[in-house]
Amino acid sequence: MALDPDDPRTPSQQIAAALRAEIKTGKFAPGEKLPSQNDLVERFSVARETIKAALRKLQDERLIVTRQGSGTFVRANTERPVGLRPHIERAFEATHVAIDFAGFSGETLHNAIQETLDKVRVGRLTPGSIRIRILISDMNAPMAIPCRAEDRADDPRVRARSARITNRSIHAIIDAVQELADLDLVKAATTEVRVHGAAPLFKLFVINDEKAFFGFYPVVEHTVSVDGQPMAIYDAMGKDAILFPFTPSDDDASHDGLYVQQAGAWFNSLWNTIAREYTS
């Protein structure tokens, strides 16, 4: 493949663009090994340093990962947003399952975990222990959001609505996990919930201390029913939050491992300081 001499991009940028397109269109599937640097040198008729520069760009974009002595591979997670459910299900293949969630209502966690818990219930997944910790905003106290849209003021009725949504999701998780322990399907199964006074601006999942998923809550205006009357509010919309995966690999240039470590440290810092016991 000849590079275009009239293209204003550098040769390495052109090569990166060509490989990026092949990854995005599925010519190279997730987990598939890319051609060797020697093969790419021959294909594009450029120096090895140019190929290395192109690969570094794709590595910075988190599209590929280099494994020492094995070669360069398409990352398993190249699509965003990602679905959380398959990652949670794989986590339950481990002997000890640990999931930490920080965010708004826990609705995403409930939706993602309920099918997996059903598989434990029927014996398709058999973890030895399950520990879930949930860290959420305390809707008993005024905070920046949710609030009335007309004057951005706190309204206890709006917070009470959010609290009802939260309670529904949280108790569904607590009851489902406790049932597994009551049925002796898991040796130990616990769900702990704590609250804090900060507004819900993002969601974070740390799974088995090995993977992390992070998403920003967009703040939007929408109309809800409060005491039977429509009210415009500003609220955090969890369903619109794109989750970004952080999955450590053998790639020394990846910062995913450090992110997972720091995400866990951040969670523990809130959990052990300003967070307090949740009461519905």
Side-chain angles (χ1 to χ4, degrees):
M1 174 181 174
L3 300 181
D4 185 355
D6 296 324
D7 193 320
R9 295 174 298 178
T10 65
S12 64
Q13 289 172 332
Q14 291 186 55
I15 294 168
L19 294 174
R20 184 187 303 110
E22 291 174 348
I23 292 171
K24 291 292 189 181
T25 57
K27 181 176 180 180
F28 295 114
E32 184 175 348
K33 186 176 181 179
L34 291 182
S36 68
Q37 290 187 16
N38 287 338
D39 289 340
L40 292 173
V41 165
E42 183 175 347
R43 173 185 172 184
F44 292 103
S45 301
V46 295
R48 181 183 292 271
E49 289 304 314
T50 303
I51 296 298
K52 288 182 178 180
L55 294 177
R56 280 196 298 270
K57 182 167 181 59
L58 297 179
Q59 201 167 35
D60 290 343
E61 295 174 11
R62 295 171 49 80
L63 288 176
I64 62 173
V65 57
T66 300
R67 296 173 186 158
Q68 190 68 31
S70 300
T72 301
F73 298 80
V74 178
R75 286 185 68 99
N77 295 313
T78 59
E79 298 296 328
R80 292 182 170 86
V82 299
L84 187 66
R85 185 175 300 168
H87 296 278
I88 286 183
E89 183 167 328
R90 280 196 291 273
F92 273 72
E93 295 173 0
T95 302
H96 303 291
V97 179
I99 299 176
D100 290 338
F101 165 76
F104 183 16
S105 67
E107 194 170 19
T108 302
L109 176 59
H110 174 240
N111 291 337
I113 204 172
Q114 58 181 340
E115 185 175 324
T116 300
L117 295 178
D118 286 341
K119 291 182 178 181
V120 176
R121 193 175 294 107
V122 298
R124 292 176 59 187
L125 293 169
T126 56
S129 67
I130 302 171
R131 187 214 68 191
I132 298 176
R133 296 191 299 175
I134 300 173
L135 192 58
I136 53 177
S137 300
D138 184 3
M139 288 297 146
N140 291 315
M143 57 188 65
I145 53 172
C147 66
R148 293 196 303 258
E150 61 177 354
D151 55 5
R152 298 178 178 82
D154 172 67
D155 191 314
R157 298 172 300 168
V158 174
R159 284 189 282 106
R161 172 187 173 274
S162 296
R164 287 193 297 273
I165 296 172
T166 298
N167 292 339
R168 186 167 61 240
S169 299
I170 296 300
H171 283 287
I173 296 170
I174 292 172
D175 292 344
V177 171
Q178 184 59 46
E179 182 186 28
L180 299 179
D182 293 342
L183 294 173
D184 290 327
L185 296 174
V186 180
K187 292 181 180 179
T190 60
T191 305
E192 298 177 77
V193 187
R194 295 185 183 180
V195 297
H196 58 84
L201 299 177
F202 61 85
K203 64 174 69 175
L204 171 70
F205 299 84
V206 181
I207 300 177
N208 284 356
D209 296 321
E210 297 174 346
K211 298 180 179 180
F213 297 84
F214 179 90
F216 293 102
Y217 286 133
V219 178
V220 301
E221 179 179 346
H222 66 126
T223 301
V224 299
S225 177
V226 177
D227 292 342
Q229 298 295 322
M231 178 185 293
I233 67 171
Y234 287 132
D235 203 2
M237 295 301 287
K239 66 181 180 64
D240 295 330
I242 295 175
L243 283 177
F244 292 86
F246 294 86
T247 56
S249 67
D250 296 332
D251 177 15
D252 292 337
S254 171
H255 296 295
D256 286 25
L258 180 60
Y259 183 91
V260 173
Q261 180 187 34
Q262 289 301 302
W266 174 87
F267 186 97
N268 286 327
S269 72
L270 259 68
W271 186 267
N272 294 322
T273 57
I274 64 172
R276 54 194 178 278
E277 186 178 356
Y278 159 83
T279 56
S280 59

